[in-house]
Every structure is written in structure tokens, then in C-alpha cells.
Amino acid sequence: MNRLFAKRAAQPLSRMLLCSRVTSWLQVCPARNSSCQEEYALTDHKFDAIVIGAGGAGMRAGFGLAEKGFKTAVISKLFPTRSHTVAAQGGVNAALANMDKDDWKFHFYDTVKGSDWLGDQNAIHYMCREAEKAIYELDMYGMPFSRRPDGRIYQRPFGGQTLDYGKGGVARRACACADRTGHALIHTLYGQTLKYADCCHYFVDYFVLDLIMSRGSCVGCLAWKLDDGTFHRFWANNTVVAAGGCGRVYFSTTAGHTCTGDGNAWVSRQELPLMDMEFVQFHPTGIYGAGCLITEGVRGEGGFFLNSKGERFMERYAPQAKDLASRDVVARAMTMEVLAGNGCGPLQDHVHLQLHHIDPKVIRERLPGIMVTARIFAKVDVTKEPVPVLPTVHYIMGGIPTNYKGRVITVDENGCEQEVKGLYSCGETSCASVHGANRLGANSLLDLIIFGRVCAHDIAENSCPGDKPPEVDDRATEKSMENFKWLRNANGDTPTACLRAELQRTMTKHAAVFREGKLLKKGLLKVAELCQQFKDIKITDRTLVWNTDLVETLELQNMLANATRLDELDYGAPMAGQKKKPIDEHWRKHTMTYVLDNAGCASVKYRPVVDTTLDDSVAPIPPAPRTY
Ligand SMILES: Cc1cc2nc3c(=O)[nH]c(=O)nc-3n(C[C@H](O)[C@H](O)[C@H](O)COP(=O)(O)OP(=O)(O)OC[C@H]3O[C@@H](n4cnc5c(N)ncnc54)[C@H](O)[C@@H]3O)c2cc1C
């Protein structure tokens, strides 16, 4: 029900007016606001399930629920096919064995090793085992995979993917749609959701402000409808958070402007932890200056790096896998070349990626998007000259902790794992811990479809369409509305864009490829300062309809909650320590960080890494030195 109440004088929230199923919140004014008599229209919606986010993960969960008859609300601040999944290029992994004698157990081995033994082996087991089924499902849904001449799905090599447990050379495992795999995936999934349109209800251009929790369980979420300025509470027994990553916390990133870690921030504000947030992946091939991605698929098709001396320097750092070593290894090698004075260009601050030795026909057929991206953003014709590249933030391995069924977990005061009732998560915002300290290329699209699917399956196994929905509880959304009103009327001296730029520069400088204690500590202090400065934020647009000033400010508040985590932990110290210790004494545990009152600091608990597999079909891989 939707109703606007007449303007009234400001009153304390305790005097909130309640009308049957309609609530009017009275404006709480920040001290410096002059016009504070506002009205907020509110509608309550009840569903069998809610999915927040309509990227690859959200849509897979959404239609998975809808096909089982669950009346599902899929809520998104963007039109579904504009979600960031659309930008994914290179491919999605599955050991289909279309090109080589491949096996999902080799994929399992590579993923455990790629994670630096900081991934949970039960979740990795599940993902790699289910991969083949999930890809053929996509094929059946009409995903336009590139094909081999015999009609089977084309697969290309990607970093860190090998045959025969690392002994059989590079594996061709990434199923590709030219270099536009994410584009093809997201449109395929969108098509499927439309097939179940009677159950799958989209709420597009709804900005979710917060989760709604009641007695420790998640019962829904609160959203602001951007095109008419109304507010909506969605109630359901199960909510899936699939709100994407937080790459925009950094200045140089391949992530879109909307990747602001909103999902992570909602969970943080419920005093729940995020896991392994210190693990940030730098993709080796961001275009110098612009940060846009050149897919690893380029090296899969034969491209390689050169330094200013014309040396193929990766031969020194990863003698076997060379340019196709895993991303962290390559990004560190590039940084070391630049630090050693071997960088290219007048500032000697980047390296070159060469592909003009590859047949231009192959480039045009397999890497058409890359040709265009390089031409626009680097002014380079890839068939004639190298692309200037530099490591850039690409993927956040940490996020909302889940088990391999997609259920959100936390740890209690005794350090024991607990599930959060009614709350699921999948995609880049989540951390099922299949990537550990380093995600292998083409394992993220796989993560989306596997864990989006499992969230839907698990909800369907444990509840039924039409189950009694949660009771509406007006108090559960008071805090979030207060925050919204404060920001809408914020009249300080610090414009959002200035504070955001400062945050992004701080992160890029203080938490980069090499994370070192002293620099991180300085960064942490700086982030704490920026959190204080946020209290002095200035909003110039006070309207409720398409107020992008306010959207960006809410996103900045969410980014700060993510940044606090990213800067808290010194992974450099344990890494340096590891080198001196025997392998069985490695520093291996999950960090569970809790943000304290948005004050710019976090507390940390730990959770053991799961070193066991789901059953005897594959044996756990014991930790070992990670060489390529
Ligand atoms: C350039 C690039 C290339 C890549 N290439 C590959 C590749 O080849 N292979 C691979 O495996 N991985 C690749 N990745 C990684 C992969 O694409 C992403 O990790 C993945 O697509 C994330 O999907 P997602 O569904 O979790 O999030 P997204 O696709 O980002 O979707 C997030 C959704 O949440 C919604 N949302 C967010 N905040 C709110 C809010 N406040 N209110 C309402 N809705 C909200 C958004 O509207 C959106 O619908 C690439 C990444 C980039 C950046």
C-alpha cells in the first residue's frame, strides 16, 4: 500500500505514526538542516524469497527459485543486463575435456593451489564437481558459446589452470563466448528469468538501503525507489544477497562505478562479520592510465609480456607457466620489474603486452572486444603494436562468509560457526571461500552460477512456496531510515566526490600489490580520518527522485565500511613469515572482521580453513610451496 502523508512538524521518532500496514516516518533533522518537514511514502511487500542484485549470481538464484514456484522479488539498483557481470570477458571454467584430457579433479587441485591453501576444500570440491553440469545447463538455456569445428564448446587456457595435478602442462578449460563471455551469460540468464515471469518479479531502480533483521534472523530488506522517491520494505523468510564486489574502493580498478560493496556494508551494519577482506586481486593487465581490462584470454591465445629491454621477464618468475602463471604471481612480477627500473614508457612505470605476433584473423575472431578496448583506451592497434599495461584492482576475494550451500555464517563468542537464519549470499559479494587468497581467472563466473544455483536449491529444500511470511516489524527499519534522512539533509562542508577520491587514492597507495605493515597502518589511520570526515558530508540535492548525489553518498558510506576492512590486516607480515617457516606451520586461517560503529576501525576473529573434502571422490590437497 502506498500513501503520502501530509507534511508535519519534526517530531522524535518515538512518536512515529502507525496506520494499518502503512507507516509514515517523521523527519529527524541533522543540526545544520533548515528545511526538515518531509514525508516518506512506504509500501510493504511480502514474498516467498528475496534476491538482492540482478547480476549473474542474483539472476541464477532468482530464476532457480522461481522455477521451483517461489514468488521471488529480484531487486536491483541497475537494469539487470547492465550489472557488472556484463563486462566479464575471458571465460568460465569447467573440465569438459573438449580440448585436452581434462578432469574436474585437476580443476579442484588448481583451485586449491591457486587459493594458496586458504580456500575451503569442501566448497572448492562442490564447485569443481558441479561445473560441467552447470555449463551444459547454460548451453541448454541458449548461451552462445564459441565452438570448435566439431561443434563442441571451445575452451581456452587461463592462468593457473593445468592438467594432471600440475604435471601435465597448461589446461584449456575456460569455456568462452569470444571475449564477451559475461555479456552472453547475463543475457542468457535474463532470458531464463523472463521464462518464469509469473514467479520472478523484478524491482529495477530500487536502491536497497539495508537488510531487515529480527531476533538474529534476516526477514527482508528496505529499499528506496529511485524513480519516484518512495520507500519499500520487502519481507520474506529467505533473502539472498548477490550485490557484487567493492572494487570501486580503489582508484584504479576494472570494476564499474556501481561496484561499491553495498551488500558487504548491509551485513556489516547488522554486526555480522566479513571474511578474508584483505585478499584483493590485482589483474596484471589493466590498460595503463585507464584501468580497463585486457582479458587473460589474450595470453591464453599466445600473448606475452615484455619489459623495456624487450625481455620476456615472466620466464624468470614462473619458468613453467610463464605468462600464464596465476594472477598474483604475474602482478607481483610486473611490479618487481617496474621497481627494478625495467618499466616501459617515459616514466618507466608499466610493461608491454604483445599480441601482434598472433595471426590477425585469430585476434579478430577470438578477441574482437580487446581490439576495440585497446584502440579506444590505449590508442593502440593490437595487430601492430603492444598494449601498455599495469596491475589494477580486479576482484575482492573476501566478502560475506557462507558455507558451500550459500548460507551466511558467523562465529559466536566461543569461536564456533553459526548460520544466520534466513540469510544467503552468492557471487562476488560473498565468500564461500572457493578463491582463498587468489581467484583463478574464469572461476568467478563459475562461482556465480554454482552458488546462485545452490542458494535456490537449498531454500527450496528447506521451505515451501506459500510458507507464512515474517510479521511486519516497524522498529526493524527505524535506524536505516534515520540514517537516510540524516544523509539526505546533510549540510556539512565536504562534497561526496572529494571524500570518495581521497578514499580511492588512499587505498591505491596504502593497500596495493605489496602490502607492507608500516604503509598499511598509515592507510588505516587515514581511512579512520575519512570516516570521521564523512560526518561533515555535504549533499546539495535534497529531492527524492533520481537523486544521484544522495545515491553516491550512500554508496560512499558503504565503501568506507569496506575500506576499513581492507586496510586492517597486514598480510605482508604473515607472508614474509611464511617464507621462513616449514609448510605445515603456515599462517592459514580465515579472518572475520567486524566494523565498529562506522568509526573507521574493525575487530578481528578467526575461523579455521576447511581442509576436508565432501566425500572420498577426491582427496584433500595438503599445503605445499606454490610454484608455477
Ligand atoms: C572487466 C572484468 C572482466 C571479467 N572477466 C571475467 C571472466 O572472464 N571470467 C570470470 O570468471 N570472471 C570475470 N570477471 C569477474 C566477474 O565478472 C565478477 O566477479 C562477477 O560478474 C560478479 O557478478 P555478481 O553477480 O556477483 O555481481 P554484479 O554483476 O556486479 O551484480 C551486482 C548486482 O547487485 C545490484 N546491487 C548492488 N548494490 C545494490 C543496491 N544498493 N541496491 C540494489 N541493488 C544493488 C546491482 O544492481 C547488480 O544487479 C571479470 C570482472 C571484470 C570487472
Side-chain angles (χ1 to χ4, degrees):
M1 194 184 295
N2 208 342
R3 194 185 300 169
L4 281 173
F5 283 79
K7 289 190 178 187
R8 60 187 78 233
Q11 299 172 41
L13 263 173
S14 54
R15 295 181 58 197
M16 193 166 65
L17 186 70
L18 298 179
C19 253
S20 62
R21 290 177 56 217
V22 182
T23 308
S24 164
W25 276 284
L26 302 169
Q27 183 66 23
V28 173
C29 314
R32 300 172 73 171
N33 179 46
S34 53
S35 68
C36 61
Q37 296 173 29
E38 307 292 351
E39 52 209 20
Y40 291 89
L42 179 77
T43 307
D44 283 310
H45 308 260
K46 294 200 172 181
F47 279 88
D48 290 328
I50 297 166
V51 177
I52 316 175
M59 284 204 275
R60 183 62 191 84
F63 86 76
L65 285 158
E67 77 179 335
K68 291 181 192 314
F70 283 74
K71 202 176 140 225
T72 306
V74 180
I75 309 168
S76 178
K77 66 179 176 182
L78 300 172
F79 190 78
T81 52
R82 303 193 73 174
S83 303
H84 202 60
T85 298
V86 77
Q89 300 175 351
V92 45
N93 285 326
L96 305 184
N98 285 354
M99 319 288 283
D100 310 293
K101 227 169 151 224
D102 204 356
D103 191 311
W104 70 263
K105 289 171 199 152
F106 304 159
H107 184 192
F108 167 77
Y109 168 85
D110 290 335
T111 305
V112 173
K113 178 180 171 187
S115 80
D116 218 350
W117 282 272
L118 277 149
D120 286 347
Q121 297 204 24
N122 58 352
I124 299 175
H125 181 172
Y126 184 77
M127 181 176 82
C128 298
R129 188 189 69 194
E130 296 295 304
E132 183 177 350
K133 214 185 295 169
I135 294 295
Y136 285 130
E137 255 176 24
L138 289 174
D139 198 23
M140 295 303 159
Y141 299 152
M143 181 144 160
F145 285 109
S146 300
R147 300 279 165 179
R148 287 168 37 115
D150 65 4
R152 284 185 290 165
I153 292 173
Y154 167 73
Q155 299 185 273
R156 61 163 54 112
F158 246 66
Q161 301 290 345
T162 66
L163 298 166
D164 199 13
Y165 305 103
K167 297 189 288 282
V170 170
R172 290 175 287 180
R173 189 174 290 148
C175 309
C177 304
D179 56 0
R180 294 171 181 140
T181 312
H183 187 273
L185 175 70
I186 206 158
H187 285 84
T188 305
L189 294 178
Y190 185 55
Q192 281 299 301
T193 61
L194 297 184
K195 196 168 145 195
Y196 298 101
D198 49 338
C199 278
C200 185
H201 299 266
Y202 275 111
F203 293 85
V204 174
D205 295 326
Y206 283 66
F207 187 94
V208 171
L209 298 167
D210 270 306
L211 296 176
I212 308 178
M213 302 289 285
S214 174
R215 288 187 287 278
S217 302
C218 183
V219 290
C221 67
L222 169 68
W224 167 34
K225 187 168 190 282
L226 300 175
D227 64 2
D228 69 1
T230 56
F231 291 83
H232 297 256
R233 288 188 302 202
F234 294 85
W235 303 89
N237 291 322
N238 290 294
T239 300
V240 181
V241 178
C246 65
R248 272 288 146 184
V249 166
Y250 281 83
F251 176 67
S252 175
T253 174
T254 59
H257 288 275
T258 53
C259 299
T260 48
D262 299 2
N264 291 351
W266 305 326
V267 164
S268 300
R269 285 199 282 272
Q270 299 300 335
E271 294 173 25
L272 291 169
L274 298 184
M275 190 161 85
D276 292 346
M277 286 297 284
E278 68 277 27
F279 297 143
V280 176
Q281 176 167 88
F282 286 76
H283 195 292
T285 50
I287 291 185
Y288 175 67
C292 311
L293 185 79
I294 298 288
T295 175
E296 199 165 310
V298 164
R299 283 170 282 142
E301 300 293 344
F304 51 73
F305 293 111
L306 294 172
N307 62 17
S308 59
K309 297 176 180 162
E311 292 168 339
R312 286 191 63 179
F313 58 88
M314 278 314 299
E315 290 171 355
R316 289 202 298 276
Y317 297 91
Q320 286 180 30
K322 299 186 183 109
D323 302 84
L324 278 172
S326 80
R327 288 175 178 173
D328 58 328
V329 171
V330 179
R332 280 198 291 271
M334 291 165 74
T335 308
M336 275 149 81
E337 284 299 300
V338 168
L339 292 176
N342 296 334
C344 303
L347 300 175
Q348 297 184 296
D349 56 354
H350 58 273
V351 301
H352 281 154
L353 175 67
Q354 179 178 312
L355 58 157
H356 55 262
H357 56 283
I358 304 172
D359 182 351
K361 240 177 64 195
V362 174
I363 298 181
R364 269 190 278 278
E365 188 187 314
R366 302 259 162 83
L367 304 165
I370 286 314
M371 286 184 78
V372 178
T373 307
R375 192 171 62 232
I376 295 173
F377 293 100
K379 311 269 179 284
V380 154
D381 176 352
V382 292
T383 61
K384 297 195 175 99
E385 46 199 336
V387 190
V389 289
L390 168 97
T392 186
V393 168
H394 184 56
Y395 188 86
I396 313 295
M397 271 73 72
I400 303 168
T402 71
N403 59 22
Y404 76 94
K405 294 182 172 175
R407 299 182 194 173
V408 173
I409 52 175
T410 180
V411 283
D412 66 15
E413 53 283 0
N414 305 317
C416 300
E417 200 170 297
Q418 301 285 346
E419 288 175 4
V420 181
K421 198 163 171 276
L423 190 57
Y424 286 76
S425 185
C426 54
E428 194 169 336
T429 195
S430 71
C431 181
S433 196
V434 282
H435 310 303
N438 172 63
R439 170 177 76 89
L440 292 184
N443 262 358
S444 170
L445 295 184
L446 182 62
D447 168 352
L448 311 183
I449 54 170
I450 295 291
F451 293 103
R453 182 167 166 265
V454 85
C455 285
H457 286 184
D458 197 67
I459 291 171
E461 267 172 32
N462 293 289
S463 55
C464 295
D467 279 353
K468 187 171 178 287
E471 291 298 324
V472 169
D473 174 3
D474 291 310
R475 281 161 312 165
T477 46
E478 278 174 13
K479 208 171 158 192
S480 183
M481 282 306 296
E482 272 184 70
N483 181 59
F484 182 89
K485 292 166 193 170
W486 164 58
L487 284 178
R488 181 181 170 203
N489 293 289
N491 197 18
D493 290 321
T494 310
T496 302
C498 297
L499 194 57
R500 185 178 54 216
E502 195 57 31
L503 173 69
Q504 291 168 329
R505 277 195 292 270
T506 302
M507 293 303 291
T508 295
K509 180 168 173 196
H510 293 268
V513 172
F514 286 101
R515 297 167 68 107
E516 182 268 320
K518 247 198 220 155
L519 197 62
L520 275 176
K521 281 206 180 85
K522 269 195 196 159
L524 182 57
L525 288 176
K526 183 76 191 162
V527 170
E529 250 173 51
L530 297 176
C531 287
Q532 291 306 319
Q533 224 175 317
F534 188 78
K535 295 180 181 153
D536 184 46
I537 204 79
K538 180 176 179 57
I539 304 281
T540 46
D541 184 353
R542 308 260 178 244
T543 62
L544 279 173
V545 178
W546 290 124
N547 184 344
T548 52
D549 190 13
L550 185 47
V551 168
E552 288 184 17
T553 306
L554 288 160
E555 288 177 337
L556 174 61
Q557 188 178 42
N558 292 337
M559 286 157 80
L560 282 164
N562 284 274
T564 305
R565 277 13 193 281
L566 297 173
D567 253 6
E568 171 69 9
L569 295 149
D570 180 359
Y571 190 53
M575 263 179 69
Q578 274 185 23
K579 289 195 186 111
K580 298 182 201 110
K581 284 184 188 167
I583 197 74
D584 53 351
E585 289 174 30
H586 272 198
W587 190 89
R588 287 199 314 120
K589 48 192 163 189
H590 293 300
T591 56
M592 309 287 270
T593 47
Y594 299 75
V595 162
L596 309 171
D597 288 337
N598 237 351
C601 54
S603 68
V604 189
K605 285 185 187 169
Y606 297 100
R607 181 182 157 242
V609 174
V610 179
D611 282 335
T612 49
T613 51
L614 293 175
D615 55 43
D616 293 343
S617 59
V618 67
I621 312 287
R626 197 161 143 258
T627 53
Y628 285 95

